[in-house]
Amino acid sequence: MSVTELPQTTTAGLYTEIQQFYAQQMHLLDDGKVEEWAHTFTTDGVFAANAQPVPAVGREAITAAAAAATEAYAKAGVQRRHWLGMVSVEGVDGDAVNARCYALVIETPRGGRPEIKASTLCEDRIVRVGGAWQIQDRQITRDDLI
């Protein structure tokens, strides 16, 4: 599909909702609010990344993995920020969408300079559950590992 053939099912309102969802989700993670962040995934959600040998499946596993990483960065005195951009919302099907975006992971050691640590492609299946958007399946592909 070329950019001149974009599907008309993605409305400006839906696009804005997904962008806002991503912004709120990343703020939670970057602020260390792991439990709240994990609740942006469905109970049976999947978080897979080509940098990890096994995906985290289910909210409990996603919470544990995020908590371990967050704790390790806090102990090391490193602040992480996730910058998402180039969001594309496609495959709209009722209360489910497929979204793709680029994510930069920026790390700043206490007293140090920020550094881009990873450039990734994030591909999500996002579903509406009880009126709120949640990630059902997230596939992260780090550019340096492909």
Side-chain angles (χ1 to χ4, degrees):
M1 161 185 349
S2 76
V3 287
T4 59
E5 300 168 351
L6 291 175
Q8 297 303 310
T9 55
T10 304
T11 65
L14 175 61
Y15 186 78
T16 300
E17 280 184 55
I18 298 303
Q19 282 192 306
Q20 183 66 15
F21 168 79
Y22 276 140
Q24 291 172 334
Q25 186 190 46
M26 291 301 103
H27 281 264
L28 290 171
L29 183 60
D30 292 343
D31 290 344
K33 297 178 180 176
V34 174
E35 291 281 335
E36 293 95 328
W37 176 80
H39 276 85
T40 65
F41 287 82
T42 60
T43 56
D44 61 347
V46 174
F47 185 107
N50 66 340
Q52 303 298 322
V54 178
V57 179
R59 193 181 287 154
E60 246 180 68
I62 291 169
T63 302
T70 298
E71 184 177 319
Y73 285 108
K75 276 187 176 181
V78 173
Q79 174 64 58
R80 292 186 98 198
R81 300 280 187 218
H82 293 78
W83 187 266
L84 277 60
M86 304 306 289
V87 177
S88 174
V89 178
E90 299 172 356
V92 178
D93 181 20
D95 284 340
V97 300
N98 295 320
R100 290 172 43 111
C101 65
Y102 297 144
L104 296 178
V105 181
I106 303 159
E107 293 182 3
T108 307
R110 192 172 298 118
R113 297 179 52 88
E115 226 179 277
I116 295 175
K117 286 297 185 175
S119 171
T120 71
L121 170 64
C122 177
E123 297 176 287
D124 288 331
R125 176 74 172 169
I126 309 172
V127 296
R128 198 183 301 270
V129 178
W133 291 109
Q134 293 183 331
I135 304 290
Q136 185 176 54
D137 185 83
R138 172 166 282 170
Q139 302 290 318
I140 301 290
T141 305
R142 262 184 36 193
D143 294 340
D144 60 325
L145 298 178
I146 53 174

